[in-house]
């Protein structure tokens, strides 16, 4: 049980770093290249999807079986962190239900996809 939590926290930390770097890159592109918010918005969603995919891959890589479920669990945890950060910045209440639902779907499906492609390699028991 302790190993699961450690791998989950490491995956969340790694995904958060990836998200932060990608969002910084998008902000730099908006500033320097002058791209509009309508162009940057899908890029932000893509950054979240990529981070959830990589985190799901990492977390499920350490599972012996049912890796897609472990990836889905990671995607759900990633979404929970997203909600927590949005609540801390006060933007959670301004989000519509459609935006929240689509972000949940993107996070869970991306985590599951990461888990599905994580087969092989060293298998630790979870």
């Amino acid at each position: 049980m302790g190993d699961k939590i450690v791998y989950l926290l490491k995956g969340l930390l790694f995904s958060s770093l990836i998200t932060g770097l990608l969002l910084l890159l998008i902000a730099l592109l908006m500033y320097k290249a002058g791209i509009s918010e309508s162009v940057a918005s899908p890029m932000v969603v893509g950054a979240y999807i990529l981070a959830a995919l990589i985190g799901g891959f990492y977390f499920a890589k350490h599972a012996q079986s049912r890796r897609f479920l472990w990836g889905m669990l990671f995607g759900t945890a990633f979404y929970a962190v997203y909600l927590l950060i949005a609540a801390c910045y006060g933007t959670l209440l301004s989000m519509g239900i459609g935006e929240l639902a689509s972000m949940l779907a993107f996070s869970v499906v991306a985590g599951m996809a990461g888990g599905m492609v994580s087969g092989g390699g060293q298998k630790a028991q979870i």
Side-chain angles (χ1 to χ4, degrees), residues 3-61:
D3 286 346
K4 292 180 204 177
I5 294 171
V6 169
Y7 289 129
L8 178 64
L9 291 176
K10 283 183 179 180
L12 287 171
L13 178 65
F14 187 59
S15 289
S16 297
L17 289 173
I18 291 170
T19 302
L21 289 173
L22 289 174
L23 292 178
L24 185 64
L25 179 64
I26 293 167
L28 185 66
L29 283 172
M30 288 180 75
Y31 179 71
K32 291 288 186 180
I35 63 172
S36 67
E37 189 176 333
S38 63
V39 173
S41 185
M43 294 170 75
V44 169
V45 172
Y48 288 133
I49 291 171
L50 182 63
L53 180 89
I54 292 171
F57 179 89
Y58 173 78
F59 183 55
K61 187 82 169 160

Side-chain angles (χ1 to χ4, degrees), residues 66-118:
R66 298 183 184 158
R67 293 173 189 232
F68 71 98
L69 289 175
W70 293 110
M72 287 177 72
L73 176 66
F74 179 85
T76 305
F78 183 80
Y79 179 72
V81 169
Y82 172 79
L83 286 180
L84 181 65
I85 291 171
C88 288
Y89 281 101
T91 59
L92 183 61
L93 296 176
S94 66
M95 292 180 180
I97 192 71
E99 184 179 354
L100 292 171
S102 62
M103 188 62 195
L104 173 63
F106 290 147
S107 298
V108 172
V109 170
M112 180 181 68
M116 291 171 73
V117 298
S118 70

